[in-house]
């Protein structure tokens, strides 16, 4: 039997023309944060960058679960969806089924051809491209994911595929916490654009591919934050197992107002843990609060718990434990007397900081998502410098006069 290289949902029509968003990557994090948001109003397709385990989870055999196949290695199924498990704060697990409209793989020439040549040529337009690449994949413009994204945009350019967004610009959204990730991807793609077209206009187009990248593509900086693992015993670890959605699971900075209009709906944003910022400094504040409040208190508590021979932060959810109550009281004091004043001294509002702490404090006490204190305290000096250093620097250089050495993590 010839393996299918792409599966398409009937909801996208047999050739996929209704698909309007593409995700490069099929990792659990992308599928539990970005894709559910896209799926609420768009019709996303997911292409695994290497291998085909995600694709094969839909196509089991020639019967195709009531679908059909053709000699072009395309399978058409009645519907496509994948599960995402969430362990709620009460310990119960809920499962959401996320609808998608195509799945494929870029891991083989035939699989890549199904996206670059066949699917794109049938689509009516594309609004968002999700990029599930990690920091390693963004180290160089020559990395495969950056080359794949460049080729995808080049094919869109050649096909003159429309973009329905307000300003007609395709939005690139990355799901890894690399600083200024959108700017970095833009730099790589701009360098690759010259290799693909030589900088010359293509026949039938007014400008070059490089011009298209500059004027028709928006590379958006972002921040992501959701603890995600995999469902126990799920095949190939494909099923995401997540904490409840944090208030800022996905923050996107859209200074040019290029995102699809539906993404601006605050009800949808709240439902999916999304924040849309229009000013870079607001995103910088979100990142700073994540480092200072969430990561800073996490590092602090891990050191204290390790000294008390508590090996996992799950111990914090034991309300009957005297040590848990004392540690949480310590963390509240650390936030209120050190981190909050430092943040406010650096221009961060009390309301924003308090909201971040309230959200993180609840997450910290989740009964199923604790981490090893040994793991957290590894490279402790470096982590303290990144996560607690900004608070210490702010307090030392400001008029704030508190005894910053009385808190163990700040004096480590």
């Amino acid at each position: 039997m010839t393996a299918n290289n792409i599966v398409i949902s009937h909801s996208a029509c047999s050739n996929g023309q209704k698909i309007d968003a593409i995700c490069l990557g099929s990792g659990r994090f992308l599928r539990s944060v970005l894709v559910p948001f896209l799926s609420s109003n768009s019709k996303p397709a997911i292409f695994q960058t290497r291998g085909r385990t995600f694709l094969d989870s839909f196509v089991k055999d020639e019967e195709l679960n009531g679908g059909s196949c053709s000699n072009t290695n395309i399978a058409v199924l009645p519907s496509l969806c994948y599960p995402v498990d969430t362990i709620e704060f009460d310990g119960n697990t809920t499962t959401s089924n996320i609808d998608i409209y195509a799945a494929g793989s870029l891991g083989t020439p035939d699989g890549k051809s199904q996206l670059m040549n066949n699917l794109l040529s049938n689509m009516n337009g594309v609004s968002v491209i999700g990029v599930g690449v990690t920091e390693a994949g963004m180290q160089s413009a020559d990395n495969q994911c950056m080359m794949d994204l460049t080729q995808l945009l080049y094919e869109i350019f050649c096909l003159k595929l429309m973009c329905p967004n307000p300003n007609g610009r395709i939005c690139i959204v990355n799901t890894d916490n690399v600083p200024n990730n959108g700017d970095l991807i833009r730099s790589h793609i701009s360098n690759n654009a010259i290799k693909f077209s030589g900088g010359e206009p293509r026949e039938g187009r007014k400008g070059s591919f490089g011009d298209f990248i500059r004027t028709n593509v928006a590379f958006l900086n972002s921040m992501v934050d959701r603890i995600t693992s995999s469902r126990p015993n799920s095949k190939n670890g494909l099923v995401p197992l997540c904490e409840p959605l944090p208030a800022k699971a996905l923050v996107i900075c859209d200074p040019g107002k290029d995102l699809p209009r539906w993404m601006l709906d605050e009800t949808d944003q709240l439902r999916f843990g999304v924040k849309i910022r229009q000013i870079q400094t607001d995103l910088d504040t979100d990142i700073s609060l994540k480092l200072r409040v969430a990561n800073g208190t996490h590092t602090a508590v891990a050191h204290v718990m390790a000294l008390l021979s508590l090996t996992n932060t799950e111990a914090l959810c034991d309300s009957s434990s005297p040590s848990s109550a004392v540690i949480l009281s310590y963390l509240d004091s650390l936030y209120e007397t050190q981190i909050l004043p430092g943040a406010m001294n650096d221009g961060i509002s009390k309301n924003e900081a308090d909201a971040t702490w309230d959200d993180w404090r609840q997450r910290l006490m989740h009964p199923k998502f604790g981490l090893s204190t040994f793991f957290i305290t590894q490279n402790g000096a470096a982590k303290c410098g990144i996560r607690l250093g900004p608070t210490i620097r702010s307090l030392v250089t400001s008029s704030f006069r508190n005894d910053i050495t009385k808190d163990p993590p700040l004096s480590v």
Side-chain angles (χ1 to χ4, degrees), residues 272-290:
F272 292 98
V274 173
K275 290 279 188 182
I276 306 298
R277 304 298 195 189
Q278 293 181 347
I279 303 174
Q280 179 64 38
T281 53
D282 289 344
L283 175 61
D284 294 340
T285 295
D286 293 323
I287 295 171
S288 177
L289 284 171
K290 180 178 183 293

Side-chain angles (χ1 to χ4, degrees), residues 338-389:
Q338 309 284 329
I339 294 174
L340 176 59
M344 292 176 64
N345 183 66
D346 289 339
I348 298 174
S349 76
K350 183 178 186 301
N351 288 341
E352 283 276 4
D354 284 345
T356 302
W357 172 237
D358 291 342
D359 183 61
W360 174 246
R361 193 182 191 279
Q362 184 182 28
R363 295 170 64 193
L364 196 58
M365 297 176 64
H366 195 290
K368 298 296 183 181
F369 283 99
L371 292 177
S372 162
T373 55
F374 173 75
F375 170 76
I376 300 170
T377 55
Q378 285 182 313
N379 300 317
K383 289 179 179 176
C384 284
I386 295 171
R387 300 173 175 183
L388 293 165

Side-chain angles (χ1 to χ4, degrees), residues 158-177:
C158 294
L159 290 168
K160 302 181 183 179
L161 202 59
M162 66 162 286
C163 174
N165 292 341
N167 300 320
R169 305 182 77 200
I170 301 167
C171 292
I172 310 296
V173 179
N174 174 239
T175 54
D176 194 83
N177 282 322

Side-chain angles (χ1 to χ4, degrees), residues 345-346 392-399 401:
N345 183 66
D346 289 339
I392 297 173
R393 181 171 57 250
S394 178
L395 297 181
V396 168
T397 58
S398 74
S399 58
R401 290 293 179 262

Side-chain angles (χ1 to χ4, degrees), residues 139-260:
Q139 288 182 346
S140 166
D142 295 327
N143 281 9
Q144 189 60 51
C145 187
M146 294 296 99
M147 297 299 292
D148 288 341
L149 177 58
T150 307
Q151 183 179 352
L152 175 61
L153 290 169
Y154 184 67
E155 298 298 336
I156 291 171
F157 164 72
C158 294
L159 290 168
K160 302 181 183 179
L161 202 59
M162 66 162 286
C163 174
N165 292 341
N167 300 320
R169 305 182 77 200
I170 301 167
C171 292
I172 310 296
V173 179
N174 174 239
T175 54
D176 194 83
N177 282 322
V178 176
N180 299 311
N181 46 12
D183 295 339
L184 180 59
I185 294 174
R186 179 195 295 113
S187 174
H188 290 332
I189 302 305
S190 297
N191 289 334
N192 287 341
I194 299 174
K195 302 175 185 177
F196 271 74
S197 65
E200 297 297 325
R202 182 180 173 85
E203 184 177 352
R205 296 299 304 252
K206 291 182 179 180
S208 68
F209 179 43
D211 295 330
F212 172 81
I213 294 298
R214 284 187 291 273
T215 60
N216 294 86
V217 185
F219 297 86
L220 307 181
N221 292 327
S222 61
M223 179 194 87
V224 289
D225 184 20
R226 191 183 192 186
I227 300 173
T228 303
S229 60
S230 62
R231 177 193 287 177
N233 303 318
S234 65
K235 187 175 181 180
N236 297 310
L238 280 177
V239 180
L241 179 68
C242 313
E243 66 172 336
L245 274 166
K248 298 176 184 177
L250 172 63
V251 184
I252 304 171
C253 184
D254 181 27
K257 300 181 180 180
D258 294 306
L259 285 168

Side-chain angles (χ1 to χ4, degrees), residues 55-86:
L55 169 62
D56 288 341
S57 70
F58 296 103
V59 183
K60 302 298 183 184
D61 50 39
E62 289 181 339
E63 295 179 0
L64 297 172
N65 299 317
S68 60
C69 64
S70 69
N71 56 12
T72 59
N73 296 334
I74 299 174
V76 181
L77 303 183
S79 64
L80 294 176
C81 66
Y82 65 86
V84 174
D85 289 346
T86 299

